[in-house]
Amino acid sequence: MTDTSQAADKAKIHEGKEADHHPYFRPRDAATLILVDRSGAIPKVLVGKRHDKVVFMPGKFVFPGGRVDKDDYRVPCAAPITAELEANLAKGSPKTPASRAKSLAIAAIREACEETGLCLGRKAEVKAKLEGAWKPFADAGLLPDPSSLFLIARAITPPGRVKRFDTRFFTADASAIAHRVDGVIHADAELVELVWVELGSKPLADLHPMTRNVLNELDARLATGPLRHDAPVPFFHFYGGKMQKDILS
């Protein structure tokens, strides 16, 4: 490889763009939350439009989500995650311990509040000291409430990427939103617009391919009626250069 090629690769990585020559990066735990409004004839999901000047997916519609923080499992909650959700999160190999399962669910709630200003919580019987990303909950007298979450899918970024994530995709009904923080969405924010869009509508056609796969799974599950924890949970991963879809067990 020439010096010029090496410099170009380094610049590409520095800009935060995906590269395909880093096969040994270990995926990091991440969580995504898809909020659903089923009050109309066709379910709607909440998407945010990314700023045009961000490096990754500029101007694209995305669901709120991000990496799990090391302290997520320590955050006090209004209610624990359900036993059924914990069991679903534990599926796969290696098994996910209870503390990590809680971290994943809490990360989904935290990222949604940070990026959209929408907080899934419940009034706290005892006031808790919450700071940083959790301050909006404290200000509203809330604690995060993961009891309304359902696991829709799990997906791992393909090998060879400069950033890899082991992402759990959760969903929750819009009725679980307990508080709205003003001023989170604006022209200079990471997300410049929030839109409730019907499943199958044009903005969703431009989503990342993996996210579209997950959304198709959600659509199929919503078509059968109320969400249930006993529905099969797909696991999207890459093997031999091709995407595989397994069912977590």
Side-chain angles (χ1 to χ4, degrees):
M1 181 181 290
T2 66
D3 291 342
T4 301
S5 299
Q6 290 177 336
D9 284 341
K10 289 181 180 178
K12 190 175 183 181
I13 296 169
H14 179 70
E15 290 173 2
K17 297 179 181 178
E18 289 187 333
D20 59 4
H21 56 282
H22 297 273
Y24 304 114
F25 280 2
R26 182 178 179 180
R28 297 186 177 185
D29 279 334
T32 293
L33 181 60
I34 304 175
L35 290 167
V36 183
D37 180 358
R38 301 188 69 180
S39 60
I42 301 176
K44 296 179 180 179
V45 293
L46 183 69
V47 291
K49 186 176 182 181
R50 288 176 62 81
H51 197 288
D52 288 334
K53 294 184 179 179
V54 297
V55 172
F56 184 63
M57 298 177 66
K60 300 291 187 181
F61 283 99
V62 299
F63 295 107
R67 286 173 46 184
V68 172
D69 283 352
K70 64 179 181 180
D71 293 329
D72 281 336
Y73 81 94
R74 294 192 180 99
V75 175
C77 298
I81 65 174
T82 63
E84 295 86 355
L85 177 58
E86 184 177 309
N88 278 338
L89 288 167
K91 291 177 180 178
S93 180
K95 297 296 183 183
T96 301
S99 60
R100 187 172 168 214
K102 177 187 175 182
S103 292
L104 289 160
I106 292 302
I109 293 175
R110 173 180 50 75
E111 288 286 339
C113 186
E114 285 182 316
E115 295 184 5
T116 70
L118 303 178
C119 305
L120 275 64
R122 192 186 303 177
K123 287 294 183 181
E125 295 182 4
V126 179
K127 189 174 182 179
K129 185 178 180 181
L130 299 174
E131 299 176 340
W134 298 104
K135 191 173 184 301
F137 286 81
D139 291 344
L142 302 173
L143 286 176
D145 181 8
S147 64
S148 63
L149 300 184
F150 290 82
L151 182 65
I152 297 300
R154 176 181 179 182
I156 296 182
T157 308
R161 304 298 174 87
V162 68
K163 291 183 179 181
R164 299 188 67 206
F165 297 102
D166 185 352
T167 304
R168 277 66 162 195
F169 291 83
F170 297 90
T171 192
D173 193 84
S175 61
I177 300 170
H179 180 61
R180 299 170 187 265
V181 182
D182 294 331
V184 173
I185 305 300
H186 55 82
D188 296 320
E190 182 178 341
L191 297 182
V192 298
E193 181 183 3
L194 287 181
V195 187
W196 289 96
V197 293
E198 293 182 347
L199 287 172
S201 61
K202 186 176 179 179
L204 301 181
D206 199 30
L207 293 174
H208 187 281
M210 185 58 74
T211 307
R212 288 204 307 271
N213 289 335
V214 174
L215 203 60
N216 288 338
E217 297 292 334
L218 175 60
D219 194 7
R221 285 179 61 171
L222 290 173
T224 66
L227 291 170
R228 307 188 324 272
H229 288 292
D230 61 353
V233 178
F235 173 36
F236 298 100
H237 62 106
F238 286 77
Y239 182 78
K242 295 182 180 180
M243 188 189 76
Q244 307 290 323
K245 175 186 172 184
D246 298 327
I247 299 299
L248 290 174
S249 61

